Amino acid sequence: MTVSSSAKETILVVDDEASIRRILDTRLSMIGYQVVTASDGIEALEAFRQSSPDLVVLDVMMPKLDGYGVCQELRKESDVPIVMLTALGDVADRITGLELGADDYVVKPFSPKELEARIRCVLRRVDKDPVVGIPNSGVIQVGELRIDTNKRQVYRGEERIRLTGMEFSLLELLVSRSGEPFSRGEILKEVWGYTPERHVDTRVVDVHISRLRSKLEDDPANPELILTARGTGYLFQRIVEAVASEGA
């Protein structure tokens, strides 16, 4: 495990290829990040617990413990943003990381500039200004569900529902125009910050919608909050309470 000199946000780069670790360490350090590196899954978990990074760049194919295993372990204890690196050609393999809790993925061989842009976007979504359309109070009540956009937290009654930063950003976008559908491309651009170049890109949205439903819906197979707009994309049920909450 290696750590670069002091900077702002800390990024943990996990890859068994020394050349990739070296390139990313150099480039990310040059643009102002503190970089921690690890060469396998076990070392990655140790580095994560020691450095508490703001974001993890995680390769899939690694010795000792692969990226999927690391992602599963991290999600048991943290909502830290995760961007996965995958050289796998099968779309299903790429999607697996998202289903396990990753926020985004970049396919190898990749452009360092593309990865840097994805990192900036994910970090920006985790700590950002309020979305237009959210009540001044920042709190929206939908039945037992309470969405606090100031604290970026969601509660069912008194129980907090853990969401990753990107999951919350997706939810916040949908509720900002409740009752109106968003296309997958529009969601991808607004939340992830890039325009889909391939059909597979929009699967990022589908997987995150599925994850949100599994956490928020009483019956995810028959959702009542996050609805599918056939031929378009997704929408959140119209929120009448949003107006009432503004003065709360």
Side-chain angles (χ1 to χ4, degrees), residues 56 58 60 67-68 71-72 74-75 79-85 94-106 122 164 166-167 192 204 207-208 211:
V56 179
L58 180 61
V60 171
Y68 296 146
C71 187
Q72 284 182 299
L74 291 181
R75 282 293 171 254
D79 300 326
V80 64
I82 299 172
V83 177
M84 300 203 77
L85 302 179
R94 300 184 207 172
I95 299 303
T96 296
L98 296 173
E99 292 175 336
L100 293 174
D103 295 281
D104 202 355
Y105 68 84
V106 176
V122 171
T164 66
M166 298 302 274
E167 286 171 348
W192 280 267
V204 174
V207 174
H208 275 75
R211 280 165 44 185

Side-chain angles (χ1 to χ4, degrees), residues 60-233:
V60 171
M61 304 302 291
M62 292 187 299
K64 298 184 181 179
L65 181 65
D66 67 16
Y68 296 146
V70 174
C71 187
Q72 284 182 299
E73 289 302 312
L74 291 181
R75 282 293 171 254
K76 291 178 182 178
E77 58 188 86
S78 174
D79 300 326
V80 64
I82 299 172
V83 177
M84 300 203 77
L85 302 179
T86 173
L88 302 174
D90 192 330
V91 172
D93 289 332
R94 300 184 207 172
I95 299 303
T96 296
L98 296 173
E99 292 175 336
L100 293 174
D103 295 281
D104 202 355
Y105 68 84
V106 176
V107 179
K108 289 182 175 181
F110 62 90
S111 160
K113 285 187 177 181
E114 178 188 8
L115 178 59
E116 290 163 15
R118 299 286 181 92
I119 289 172
R120 283 195 298 269
C121 181
V122 171
L123 289 175
R124 186 172 67 246
R125 295 302 304 192
V126 170
D127 184 15
K128 52 178 284 300
D129 294 330
V131 170
V132 174
I134 299 297
N136 292 336
S137 67
V139 177
I140 297 172
Q141 190 79 35
V142 186
E144 293 186 349
L145 205 65
R146 186 171 82 258
I147 304 167
D148 188 331
T149 62
N150 295 321
K151 296 180 179 179
R152 295 180 63 81
Q153 294 176 356
V154 179
Y155 295 85
R156 179 179 288 110
E158 297 302 317
E159 177 188 3
R160 182 182 172 187
I161 301 172
R162 286 183 56 180
L163 300 183
T164 66
M166 298 302 274
E167 286 171 348
F168 189 91
S169 293
L170 173 56
L171 175 63
E172 186 178 33
L173 178 68
L174 294 176
V175 300
S176 71
R177 281 178 16 203
S178 67
E180 299 180 30
F182 287 86
S183 69
R184 289 171 174 83
E186 188 177 5
I187 292 172
L188 196 65
K189 184 176 180 180
E190 291 293 328
V191 177
W192 280 267
Y194 59 94
T195 302
E197 298 178 359
R198 303 167 299 274
H199 175 69
V200 67
D201 289 337
T202 59
R203 289 294 304 278
V204 174
V205 176
D206 295 333
V207 174
H208 275 75
I209 288 289
S210 178
R211 280 165 44 185
L212 267 181
R213 283 172 170 168
S214 70
K215 294 180 179 183
L216 303 182
E217 301 279 2
D218 292 331
D219 181 4
N222 297 287
E224 296 181 352
L225 298 174
I226 302 172
L227 310 176
T228 299
R230 296 193 181 280
T232 304

